[in-house]
Amino acid sequence: GDQGLIGVCAKLPATLESVQLLMRSCHGIGDAGLAGVGASLPPSVRSLCLNCTGCSSIGDSGMQGLVKGFSEQMTSIVLQMPGMGKCLTDDAIGFLGEALP
């Protein structure tokens, strides 16, 4: 769940440049978990790939928390979130757009 994901991300190496997380159908992962990923991203991360297919507990506040962790070094972002149209609104896309360097 959220706490496990936050615990793993808290141990990411400070020099890590690429992060890829596959969280398909993880119903225990929600906004707090996604925000925890953002809070734990080392500034060195240039590439982020998240597959949250079917993670129906993630909403706009999770996306807002995630993008707060994006650094100016970020050059590649892949977010796979099919089936989340009921969870995410246009606000989530706005948060993403505002966070891009």
Side-chain angles (χ1 to χ4, degrees):
D2 286 338
Q3 292 305 314
L5 179 60
I6 291 168
V8 167
C9 290
K11 296 183 186 279
L12 294 175
T15 58
L16 192 66
E17 292 186 7
S18 180
V19 176
Q20 183 173 354
L21 295 172
L22 176 62
M23 303 179 291
R24 282 191 190 162
S25 300
C26 291
H27 301 291
I29 294 177
D31 291 332
L34 201 59
V37 171
S40 299
L41 286 176
S44 58
V45 171
R46 301 173 61 90
S47 174
L48 175 67
C49 179
L50 294 179
N51 185 329
C52 300
T53 303
C55 298
S56 57
S57 298
I58 295 174
D60 291 345
S61 65
M63 181 66 76
Q64 185 177 30
L66 173 68
V67 302
K68 284 182 180 179
F70 290 1
S71 74
E72 300 254 339
Q73 303 298 319
M74 190 74 70
T75 59
S76 175
I77 302 165
V78 177
L79 300 175
Q80 298 172 331
M81 300 181 158
M84 296 188 61
K86 294 179 182 175
C87 306
L88 298 174
T89 68
D90 290 344
D91 289 345
I93 302 304
F95 298 141
L96 181 59
E98 291 170 8
L100 297 176

